[in-house]
Amino acid sequence: MVKSTAIERWEVAVIGAGLSGMYQLLKLRQLGFKVRVYEAGGDVGGTWYWNRYPGCRFDSESWSYVFSFSPEVLREWSWAEHFSGQPENLRYCEFLADKFDLRRDITFGARARSASWDDGAREWELIFEDGRRARSRFLVTAIGPLSAPTMPNIAGIGDFKGEAYHTGLWPHHPVSFEGKRVAVIGTGASGVQLITEVAKTVGHMTVFQRTPNWCTPLRNSRISPQEMESIRNRYDDIFRRCRETWGCFIHTADHRNAMDLSPEEREAAFEKLYNEPGFSFWQGNFRDALIDKAANDEMTKFVIKKIRARVKDQRIADKLIPTNHGYGTRRVPLESGYYEVYNQPNVKLVDLRETPIERVTEKGLKTSDADYEFDMIVYATGFDAITGAFDRIDIRGKGDQKLKDKWADGPHTYLGLNIAGFPNLLTLVGPHNAATFCNIPRCIEQNVEFVSEMLVHMREKGLKRLEATHEAEDEWTAHVYDTGNKLLAMQVDSWITGVNKNVGRQKRTFMAYAGGAPKYRQKCEEVVAHGYEGFTLR
């Protein structure tokens, strides 16, 4: 149905009603701006609205993921688990929307098709897939780093006659696996969570794996009312610790170097961290573990030993152990019994490096050595990360320049928040922003508050237009690569380095900011202190 062609007009338009869009709306509304949020989905929640697949949950501690801006919300909301599942996470988003009456300023079912800068009018024009149009002085993207689901490049995907789902577009109705023959394609973070859960009830499951990932235990547990009250009393300390750590998690790196210790001391430290919850083993390991290959090799050997101890058939263990990257050099999926799934007689692992999928058929999948019949295929094939959601909107700046063309060889930004040639466009949690390596609500708050204070500054000074200078953009992008080059992750193909075989992107770039959240926050504070240095405001 095509909406009215009347143009809606706002001071600020926001694309996306996930956590960043919700907080940006609240903040700007409190500051007196005329703001509207446009959301493709049917309700708030972003990631937690779309990703409803079985097993989906936090890998950040739930009580460190919560927004800190409202003492009242912190008093009223209770978490049931240390690593909360999707249903509760979505309820938290809905709770915020209800608490602050956010939905009255959100248009749902509005998927942005294009966003074009009108230099004469000094404003953005948005066109949505349903024909709706809007214009705004400022445009804020709150579209998330993992919000553009990708399907694998396999022939015949539309031919399958059974049930078929993508983890990032999971249906709202219940899906049963009991007694069914289920194929799961993909063993990234969502695949690891889903496979573990599906294995509990499935008739038979075949996992098709192209690239194994290093996984370590989540070690989730319930939170009693008494423990929740204790957490409430410690929120100030929790948020203070998060502000101090590299990724705003509660975990911080061991100040020692792995290679300065004896093998026995290293082993004891690894064992302790491995048995702690969450990202302890990844984010809390030795300070050189992700930058020095010798140290990383030692950590990797330890995880290999753990995998082999958990998988009975060592031929299967061989397939589950990555050989093309060390532990922690790609984002680590956390699991709750994932490796033990492959000990079940009703679970089969197919290594696509040995026998690739040739096509999807009406009844299932055909690989180079077999025809498989299934009742259901689940595509756990992830996202076109960080820039993918931008690419799916035809964003054009000055002189009709396409953002997709500008970023053809990798993103160029200033602070991950603005792009030279794209005035009045502000990109929350964008590429080259600390938020892409972050316990994300901690960095969302910083991003939103920076943007909001900048717009207030402009309003007070009677300014209408902001744009990063090309020099500031070049310096920041070079700095991003300088920090990234220190990491072993920069040598690995992953969504962090921009490689995505599902969308045909093979060139390695760098999508994130590896300097850490404290340094990023310090840079932003310096920019403000120097009159928004690096931006042209007029």
Side-chain angles (χ1 to χ4, degrees), residues 385-387 410-411 430-433 436 480-481 495-499 505 509-513:
I386 302 180
T387 57
H432 296 174
N433 188 312
T436 45
V480 165
Y481 276 85
W495 59 263
I496 293 168
T497 54
V499 177
R505 191 167 56 237
T509 60
F510 197 58
M511 296 284 193
Y513 174 65

Side-chain angles (χ1 to χ4, degrees), residues 2 20 42 72 110 128 505:
V2 177
S20 56
E72 189 175 349
F128 298 88
R505 191 167 56 237

